[in-house]
Amino acid sequence: MRRSLVIAAVLLALSFVLVGGPSMLLSLSTGQLTAEDPAPKKPTPEVVSFDDSESGFWEYLSPREGFQKRSPINVIVRGDVDDIERILTESGGGDWSEINESEEEAVPDTYALTGGENVSENETDSAADATNDSATNTTADATNDSATNTTANATNDSATNTTANATNDSADNTTADEPPADERRGRIPSLNWGEADGGVRYAYIDPGPNESGYWTTETLQLEDGNYYGQRYHIRLYESPNEDDDWVAMQTHSEHFDWFTLQHRVHGSQSAQRKVESNFMAHPQVDVQDDVSRIYLDNGNSSDADGWATLVELAGFLVIPTLVGIRSGRRAADAASDAGRSAEQVRQRTPDAIDDHLTDVDRRRIAAAYDRVEVGHLLLVVAVVALYLGVRAAGIFLEHRAEFLTPHQIAALLYPVIGIGIPVATYLIARGLTRRLDAAVVAAGSLAVAVWLDYGMLGVDALPLEVVVQRMLVVVALGLIAGGAAKRAARDSKFNDMLLVGTAMWLLVLVGTLFGYL
């Protein structure tokens, strides 16, 4: 029992070092918890409008018809929604496509074990709810007496228009993006998700004088990426008046979390930069005159900084063109440079690391080497391959098996995570001798698999509850491996470590699916 407690303590420390610590240091949103906004002090906040428009919009989206500061608007285009869609879907800067109901976003109730409809408040946002009580009404041409126009990557203390390419002395290069996600029109027309409405986001629109404001859902949604991998998502909300040419957009990036069967929004800046660059790459868009930044003061969630991209397309006639040749050449040059850099690193690798080792160091390395068994390597390969294999298989089936619905793909692959990983760990660990070695290798392998997965998806921000859940499953898998080792099983196959690890694994996964974690 004492040995089991020591191993459990080691696993807890290891999970913090490998999962919790790096998450808290690197994640932009780890310390932030999603909470309900307090009742707004103003029943109807001020709206963003333009000098030549009667209508306007509130600078946030909300999961319900109420003023909750959940999703800051971060791109505004002065033009027609059809032109916007044509630029994004037909230019060479991305692979945007319209989302349909078959690719409705997965939220906690999407795969619920208890049934019920998807509800928008269950959608997992990586960003904290905004708490700014007053929304600053800023126009597209607003300038502050103490500030000057700067370029697109700037942030200014006084909310001025900024052009698309400059930097400001008062801020880092940032873009206003944010975290809530959902989907409705899409790339796999044979799939049908039915009445899912978990990802709905409402925009508050004010038509102008003598008319009442109202809440509305999006005019259009676009995506670029994979449902079971990582993707960028845009919601577009069109002006209510024909003479007021503006489209408010909310952009963010998200990934599918196989442990929770949900889409996790992990930021908005990269999505905003992508949309901005797509417009800037169009040959009929003048980078200096047609792309700028305005300050909406809605940057208090995730990595959003309160600045929105403003693109001028008013009166713009979009003619389909072929673009992207230059970017392709740049990519080829970059690949060539990367190859040369790698060769230089190999040439500079030191040949005499051994000169820095003492005799004590050599004895310790030799002792550790003697403890390594083939089973340790097999355990590492099995855990990493199963975890990453599920990610790859989901993306493959999404594109190749159109006869499968998203629910069916999840039903096929989730057992590999929930059952396959612990079973494979138990079977391989039975051939290992030492309990601590087996536990550390299994826990470390799962932690490495998690970070490799996040690295491939480009995830750099995690909510705190996800970090805690990953730490718990890492500890649980380590206990299962330690309990299966020969020295733990010599008295009983069903020892304390194995039972506790199995119970912990089941409780964490089931609790996650039921929404308790």
Side-chain angles (χ1 to χ4, degrees):
M1 182 66 178
R2 181 181 178 184
R3 183 64 172 173
S4 300
L5 293 176
V6 171
I7 293 175
V10 171
L11 290 175
L12 284 172
L14 186 67
S15 68
F16 181 81
V17 170
L18 296 182
V19 179
S23 299
M24 293 179 183
L25 289 174
L26 301 177
S27 176
L28 297 176
S29 65
T30 297
Q32 303 175 8
L33 295 175
T34 301
E36 291 299 320
D37 288 328
K41 295 181 179 179
K42 293 184 178 181
T44 304
E46 294 180 344
V47 297
V48 177
S49 185
F50 302 95
D51 291 339
D52 58 349
S53 300
E54 293 184 348
S55 61
F57 58 90
W58 188 47
E59 63 262 40
Y60 292 92
L61 304 182
S62 176
R64 57 179 64 87
E65 295 182 6
F67 294 102
Q68 295 184 333
K69 301 174 182 178
R70 294 290 293 271
S71 308
I73 298 294
N74 53 14
V75 178
I76 305 166
V77 181
R78 302 300 310 277
D80 184 75
V81 69
D82 294 330
D83 289 342
I84 295 171
E85 181 181 10
R86 193 175 298 115
I87 288 177
L88 293 176
T89 57
E90 295 183 5
S91 67
D95 188 22
W96 295 99
S97 61
E98 197 173 346
I99 296 174
N100 66 16
E101 293 181 359
S102 68
E103 294 184 297
E104 190 74 33
E105 182 192 5
V107 294
D109 284 345
T110 301
Y111 304 101
L113 303 180
T114 56
E117 295 182 355
N118 294 343
V119 289
S120 60
E121 57 265 30
N122 284 337
E123 179 177 349
T124 302
D125 292 344
S126 67
D129 291 337
T131 57
N132 184 5
D133 293 330
S134 61
T136 303
N137 180 15
T138 58
T139 66
D141 300 318
T143 60
N144 189 290
D145 294 337
S146 62
T148 58
N149 285 345
T150 55
T151 55
N153 293 327
T155 60
N156 193 304
D157 294 336
S158 58
T160 61
N161 283 348
T162 58
T163 56
N165 286 328
T167 59
N168 192 293
D169 294 336
S170 61
D172 295 329
N173 178 17
T174 53
T175 50
D177 292 76
E178 105 92 358
D182 64 13
E183 339 288 54
R184 280 214 256 168
R185 311 175 182 95
R187 187 173 62 246
I188 312 180
S190 61
L191 306 184
N192 184 10
W193 247 11
E195 299 286 330
D197 62 350
V200 172
R201 283 293 183 268
Y202 295 93
Y204 182 78
I205 304 296
D206 184 359
N210 303 322
E211 295 188 61
S212 300
Y214 60 90
W215 294 94
T216 183
T217 56
E218 68 279 346
T219 305
L220 177 69
Q221 294 189 65
L222 299 174
E223 67 164 1
D224 183 359
N226 300 298
Y227 181 88
Y228 286 110
Q230 184 268 354
R231 66 179 177 183
Y232 300 103
H233 177 221
I234 311 175
R235 291 187 184 91
L236 302 92
Y237 299 81
E238 193 174 14
S239 61
N241 306 328
E242 291 185 2
D243 296 335
D244 297 343
D245 278 335
W246 57 258
V247 176
M249 302 165 62
Q250 200 288 311
T251 69
H252 59 263
S253 53
E254 63 188 16
H255 67 278
F256 189 81
D257 188 335
W258 274 103
F259 263 114
T260 62
L261 295 181
Q262 301 174 30
H263 275 112
R264 296 278 182 181
V265 177
H266 56 260
S268 57
Q269 287 207 19
S270 60
Q272 182 181 355
R273 284 193 295 267
K274 179 176 177 62
V275 173
E276 188 178 74
S277 63
N278 286 165
F279 282 110
M280 293 171 64
H282 197 278
Q284 291 182 264
V285 174
D286 189 303
V287 174
Q288 296 296 327
D289 296 333
D290 296 337
V291 185
S292 59
R293 290 287 179 85
I294 60 174
Y295 189 65
L296 299 186
D297 193 23
N298 59 354
N300 43 5
S301 63
S302 186
D303 55 353
D305 63 359
W307 288 85
T309 300
L310 177 63
V311 182
E312 296 286 349
L313 296 183
F316 188 74
L317 177 63
V318 178
I319 301 175
T321 56
L322 295 176
V323 298
I325 298 176
R326 192 180 308 170
S327 62
R329 290 175 179 172
R330 284 198 297 264
D333 293 340
S336 177
D337 292 341
R340 288 193 294 268
S341 298
E343 181 62 29
Q344 291 174 356
V345 170
R346 284 192 293 270
Q347 292 175 356
R348 295 174 183 175
T349 301
D351 299 326
I353 297 178
D354 188 63
D355 293 343
H356 300 282
L357 299 177
T358 65
D359 292 337
V360 175
D361 294 331
R362 294 188 182 92
R363 285 195 295 269
R364 289 174 177 172
I365 294 174
Y369 181 80
D370 292 337
R371 293 167 67 102
V372 175
E373 304 176 37
V374 176
H376 292 138
L377 301 179
L378 291 177
L379 186 55
V380 173
V381 172
V383 172
V384 173
L386 288 174
Y387 191 91
L388 299 183
V390 167
R391 175 72 65 193
I395 296 174
F396 176 82
L397 292 177
E398 171 189 347
H399 293 282
R400 301 295 182 181
E402 296 186 359
F403 56 89
L404 294 176
T405 67
H407 287 74
Q408 291 169 341
I409 293 175
L412 286 173
L413 297 179
Y414 182 73
V416 178
I417 295 287
I419 301 174
I421 290 179
V423 169
T425 297
Y426 173 77
L427 294 176
I428 296 174
R430 286 195 310 174
L432 302 178
T433 302
R434 296 175 177 84
R435 291 166 287 186
L436 181 60
D437 293 357
V440 169
V441 170
S445 299
L446 183 57
V448 168
V450 168
W451 284 114
L452 287 175
D453 184 47
Y454 284 151
M456 291 187 296
L457 296 175
V459 176
D460 56 7
L462 295 172
L464 181 60
E465 63 270 18
V466 173
V467 176
V468 172
Q469 197 259 10
R470 294 300 184 273
M471 291 176 61
L472 292 177
V473 294
V474 164
V475 173
L477 193 68
L479 291 175
I480 292 173
K486 293 178 181 178
R487 289 187 179 177
R490 57 190 172 190
D491 297 328
S492 173
K493 290 184 178 180
F494 302 101
N495 53 75
D496 53 354
M497 277 197 299
L498 181 61
L499 294 177
V500 171
T502 302
M504 186 176 178
W505 180 272
L506 293 175
L507 288 174
V508 170
L509 293 192
V510 172
T512 299
L513 294 181
F514 274 93
Y516 294 110
L517 292 176

